[in-house]
Amino acid sequence: MAYRKRNKKKLVSASNRKTCMDLAPWIKSVSNHMWWSCSSSKGDPKELLRRWKSILHHICGVHRWEEGGMEYKCYHTELTADEQRRKRLLAKDSPAYKAFYEAVMNARLLKDLEQMALFKHTGELEVFHNVLLKYCPKRLHFEYASMQARTMLAVMDHNENHNTQREQAKTASGLQRHDVVFQRQSKQWTARPVYKETTQTFRNNMMDAVIQRRLDPSVKYKDPLSHMKVPLLAANIARVSKPNKEDVIAGHTSRFTATD
Ligand SMILES: [Zn+2]
């Protein structure tokens, strides 16, 4: 999320100013708060913005407030007096709060966040984007019709393979397979599940459906060429699945012996 980084950068540079030093301990939680606002508002842009802006109250130590005649409160559990005391609260008239307010209410950011509400699962979106790149490589140019068809193929591929549908691969001894990867952001090693290879069954299903439709006598075509018979498969296209190599060799040898 580019705007999340942008927002963080803004806060970091503001907190470097002497008058805004109190901002520094908040930066990490503000970044987390943005992520929480996006992922918890169930695709509702108004709710997302309301949740995001609530940090303006929270940072001053106000956890219940009124807005347009409605009472709102933070989603976190009640803070103990000790927790409340340990937080570096900002005074509403401080330069730090002013800089914070500007970063939170940045018009471009609010617009981006509103857009973000449309995507409930950003992780999934990134996964789809990678599939899309497989069908529409960025370096190549496609005509509109081709681009449309390629995007559809990417959607079908994604639907067939996205993680909730894919089984996790297993080791020879039957354990679930993981890759241990280093996360640059958290600087920690984590285990990532390894999924079974992707499948593209949808392609065969689609070709079958096309042929079935073509053979359906109740479907009439405007194109006169459509009266032509469905062409037979070329002789070099196998219509039975490939047999085992050893069986073929054995079969050839025995026939050779029989006719000899
Ligand atoms: Zn709060």
Side-chain angles (χ1 to χ4, degrees):
M1 298 205 299
Y3 51 87
R4 197 165 159 214
K5 273 191 195 144
R6 227 164 33 224
N7 178 260
K8 206 170 171 179
K9 258 190 199 159
K10 248 179 218 161
L11 290 176
V12 170
S13 75
S15 70
N16 286 335
R17 271 182 264 148
K18 241 187 190 157
T19 48
C20 301
M21 266 160 47
D22 282 351
L23 270 180
W26 286 99
I27 291 169
K28 201 162 184 232
S29 35
V30 171
S31 184
N32 288 339
H33 176 71
M34 187 187 284
W35 183 254
W36 172 81
S37 308
C38 289
S39 57
S40 68
S41 48
K42 299 189 180 78
D44 178 348
K46 268 193 193 146
E47 184 59 26
L48 193 160
L49 290 185
R50 212 171 55 70
R51 287 180 183 210
W52 166 239
K53 290 177 195 169
S54 72
I55 191 117
L56 290 172
H57 300 282
H58 179 84
I59 208 163
C60 300
V62 176
H63 309 288
R64 279 171 190 277
W65 64 95
E66 213 177 279
E67 207 176 281
M70 293 271 284
E71 216 212 3
Y72 294 103
K73 63 178 177 111
C74 290
Y75 278 82
H76 55 75
T77 49
E78 210 80 38
L79 298 176
T80 62
D82 195 42
E83 279 173 319
Q84 182 81 281
R85 206 180 47 239
R86 265 186 287 139
K87 287 201 182 290
R88 188 99 54 101
L89 302 176
L90 303 187
K92 273 219 158 147
D93 52 3
S94 64
Y97 182 81
K98 196 170 170 281
F100 184 68
Y101 183 90
E102 271 164 28
V104 169
M105 299 298 282
N106 177 277
R108 184 168 160 201
L109 172 73
L110 297 185
K111 220 173 172 185
D112 283 344
L113 284 176
E114 236 178 332
Q115 284 297 311
M116 198 58 215
L118 300 171
F119 304 109
K120 289 179 224 165
H121 305 288
T122 48
E124 194 122 306
L125 185 69
E126 279 162 34
V127 173
F128 171 67
H129 197 244
N130 286 336
V131 180
L132 188 62
L133 286 177
K134 184 169 91 176
Y135 288 88
C136 315
K138 272 189 183 155
R139 282 170 302 152
L140 302 176
H141 173 77
F142 301 106
E143 296 297 327
Y144 179 75
S146 163
M147 198 68 196
Q148 198 177 27
R150 283 165 182 277
T151 307
M152 287 174 177
L153 288 171
V155 171
M156 285 187 269
D157 194 322
H158 177 75
N159 286 349
E160 183 168 327
N161 290 303
H162 74 88
N163 291 350
T164 54
Q165 310 222 352
R166 260 163 80 199
E167 266 183 77
Q168 197 168 342
K170 294 211 165 110
T171 60
S173 52
L175 294 171
Q176 293 197 312
R177 277 187 59 198
H178 287 92
D179 264 347
V180 176
V181 287
F182 188 71
Q183 301 274 346
R184 261 185 302 162
Q185 233 173 357
S186 61
K187 299 190 175 51
Q188 277 174 343
W189 288 93
T190 54
R192 194 172 57 188
V194 175
Y195 294 97
K196 284 187 176 172
E197 290 277 301
T198 60
T199 55
Q200 275 73 35
T201 320
F202 74 94
R203 293 188 200 171
N204 288 336
N205 294 346
M206 199 166 50
M207 286 196 288
D208 282 348
V210 168
I211 293 177
Q212 285 309 317
R213 188 174 161 83
R214 183 63 192 78
L215 293 173
D216 182 347
S218 66
V219 180
K220 300 275 179 269
Y221 296 93
K222 279 184 190 160
D223 181 357
L225 283 178
S226 66
H227 296 298
M228 286 163 54
K229 289 249 157 55
V230 175
L232 286 172
L233 292 176
N236 61 347
I237 296 176
R239 273 191 262 175
V240 284
S241 53
K242 193 177 177 182
N244 192 302
K245 192 175 178 186
E246 285 75 30
D247 290 349
V248 180
I249 295 170
H252 180 77
T253 318
S254 63
R255 199 181 58 190
F256 181 74
T257 325
T259 50
D260 190 32

